[in-house]
Amino acid sequence: MQRLLAIAWLTWKAAFRFRLFLVIAALLLAAVVGLPMVIQDDGTARGFTQILLTYTLSVITGLLGLSTLWLACGTLARDIEECQMQVVATKPIARWQIWLGKWLGIMSLNAALLALSGACVYGLLQWRAAKLPAAEQTVLREQVLVARGSAKERNYDQEIDAATEHILQERLKNNPVDKVNVPLLHKQIREQVKADFQLVPPGYSRQWQIDLGFAKNFLKDKPLQLRVKFNSARGSSSGTFVALWQVGVPETPRLWRSEPMSLAPNTFHEFQIPPNLFDDQGVLTIIFVNPNDTSLLFPIEDGMEVLYPQGGFALNFTRGLGIIFCWMALLAALGLMAASFLSFPVAAFFSLAVLTIGLSSGTLAEAVESGTVAAGNAETGVMGHSAADAVLIPLFKGFLTIINLVKNFSPIDSLSSGRSISWTDLGLAFGQIVLLLGGIIGVIGIGLFNRRELATAQGNQ
């Protein structure tokens, strides 16, 4: 451990020698203080706080991520290129200890910078919240500066897939199509079947039954929030639609009916409902009545959600920073792995290229979903086809599997919407991002560093 700490201390000295620590600290503080002065919000304290959290944490993550990659690539590659590593390697210290010591040094730097910037964001939020009127403070404490659990309706994928497959087989019997167009036909049928679960025609109602599970045991006398979103194929003269809600146990006194609400489509709305509206099994029944002259569509994924209080903001915010710290650990391992066998400029380019691929998961997902990398014909709706599909599509699936291990955790979105980040989430993030992916990259990096001939690097100077 003493050897690892010695290498970590050398990494700290290198960061100060490069002026990296001071520059990044200054940029982080400027972002935390400066962003509130330039961001545009909807004029409400809740909207401003959500945007402030999103922007500041995104900037902190971006700055720390780039500096982590730059330092990880530079501290190892430059030590080799400037012949300092050759001197260290002659000491009684194994190369894996050098590599791991570098990683620990970078992560301790990240911990200090993340703690500094996180404390500033938290302090700024509390300071601004204390200056608001009591009513606005209540809204913030209940909807943003809080840790809320979430409950949704059960998953309908099994029923949708079964109905889609049945209809697809019937269509293929009556109207055979080319094999390359089957994925597109399957996608179209699935969307049609899915619409039956989502559409609420004019004059009709839609019911959700959401099981609160174990949470029902500690939600007595506590108000809940509904988070809803719907879409509309047609607009309205006012830009909004009327919504009528009924929540509670039908045909009992535990039933709440809303006044007509004017809600805009394609955006999330949150409103509070009275406590104790779920039944003895913890099932909350929600009914929406559509009095408009057009159909409204509530997406299965995020059309209806019940939010309930689960904890305080301070601990939730700390867990969110912990997941960001896990991201930094992976980037540090990636940069050190690249520097283990490449020069500094090439290692930095390689690391940024890998990061770019990770950020392009949306494009990869579209290619995997369509089953081809070729463009289709927008007029005829016929999918394209490429000879490279047999190789690229399985490769893209592999990339997405790896990327999703990291992207499944979204602390910034959760914190800005007042969602709870559990200890389980943090533990899974640590296991998947740091131990699994970071461990694999670390083993590869240490192996490459062990095989690298430092004398050859010295002779090339």
Side-chain angles (χ1 to χ4, degrees), residues 58-377:
S58 297
V59 170
I60 288 171
T61 302
L63 285 174
L64 277 183
L66 292 176
S67 65
T68 297
L69 280 179
W70 188 88
L71 181 59
C73 292
T75 187
L76 185 59
R78 284 194 174 276
D79 280 359
I80 296 173
E81 293 168 4
E82 296 174 0
C83 306
Q84 298 178 25
M85 186 57 65
Q86 288 82 335
V87 177
V88 176
T90 60
K91 308 291 184 181
I93 182 171
R95 290 198 185 185
W96 70 266
Q97 292 175 318
I98 296 175
W99 198 97
L100 193 57
K102 293 280 188 184
W103 183 83
L104 289 174
I106 295 169
M107 292 314 300
S108 60
L109 279 165
N110 279 333
L113 290 169
L114 191 58
L116 174 64
S117 54
C120 290
V121 172
Y122 182 82
L124 179 63
L125 288 172
Q126 298 300 322
W127 176 72
R128 291 189 65 92
K131 297 177 112 17
L132 295 172
E136 289 287 349
Q137 289 190 39
T138 301
V139 172
L140 284 184
R141 302 299 178 190
E142 291 181 351
Q143 298 186 14
V144 182
L145 301 182
V146 68
R148 296 183 294 178
S150 168
K152 295 184 179 181
E153 197 175 29
R154 71 179 183 87
N155 192 296
Y156 288 103
D157 283 348
Q158 187 174 356
E159 291 92 330
I160 294 173
D161 291 338
T164 301
E165 188 63 27
H166 176 73
I167 296 173
L168 176 63
Q169 295 304 321
E170 293 295 324
R171 292 269 185 94
L172 292 177
K173 286 181 183 178
N174 300 326
N175 300 293
V177 298
D178 295 335
K179 288 185 178 181
V180 295
N181 293 325
V182 171
L184 176 62
L185 180 60
H186 183 277
K187 181 180 179 181
Q188 292 173 341
I189 294 175
R190 195 179 194 281
E191 290 300 319
Q192 293 170 0
V193 173
K194 193 175 178 181
D196 293 336
F197 289 82
Q198 303 178 119
L199 276 177
V200 185
Y204 283 76
S205 63
R206 162 79 154 92
Q207 177 178 282
W208 293 264
Q209 286 194 315
I210 298 180
D211 189 355
L212 298 176
F214 182 77
K216 73 177 187 298
N217 297 318
F218 57 84
L219 291 180
K220 185 179 179 181
D221 299 328
K222 293 185 178 180
L224 310 179
Q225 287 89 34
L226 298 188
R227 179 180 170 90
V228 302
K229 177 185 178 182
F230 63 88
N231 304 318
S232 173
R234 290 192 303 161
S236 66
S237 57
S238 63
T240 61
F241 295 89
V242 178
L244 299 174
W245 301 94
Q246 177 180 295
V247 185
V249 184
E251 301 179 359
T252 70
R254 292 159 62 184
L255 190 65
W256 172 79
R257 291 183 176 90
S258 74
E259 296 293 329
M261 296 183 181
S262 181
L263 304 179
N266 305 315
T267 188
F268 286 103
H269 301 275
E270 288 186 18
F271 56 92
Q272 187 167 289
I273 60 174
N276 305 323
L277 295 180
F278 49 86
D279 62 21
D280 296 337
Q281 286 72 42
V283 176
L284 184 67
T285 301
I286 305 166
I287 298 176
F288 166 76
V289 179
N290 182 9
N292 304 280
D293 58 358
T294 184
S295 297
L296 301 181
L297 184 147
F298 288 80
I300 291 179
E301 296 81 9
D302 54 10
M304 172 61 66
E305 190 174 8
V306 178
L307 302 175
Y308 52 85
Q310 201 173 49
F313 178 72
L315 199 56
N316 201 48
F317 185 72
T318 303
R319 290 192 291 263
L321 294 181
I323 293 180
I324 295 176
F325 185 73
C326 291
W327 290 349
M328 298 304 109
L330 180 62
L331 292 178
L334 174 63
L336 286 172
M337 186 271 288
S340 298
F341 69 103
L342 297 171
S343 64
F344 174 41
V346 181
F349 176 80
F350 173 84
S351 301
L352 289 174
V354 173
L355 182 60
T356 302
I357 293 174
L359 296 175
S360 304
S361 59
T363 303
L364 300 181
E366 289 179 4
V368 170
E369 184 178 359
S370 62
T372 180
V373 296
N377 190 316

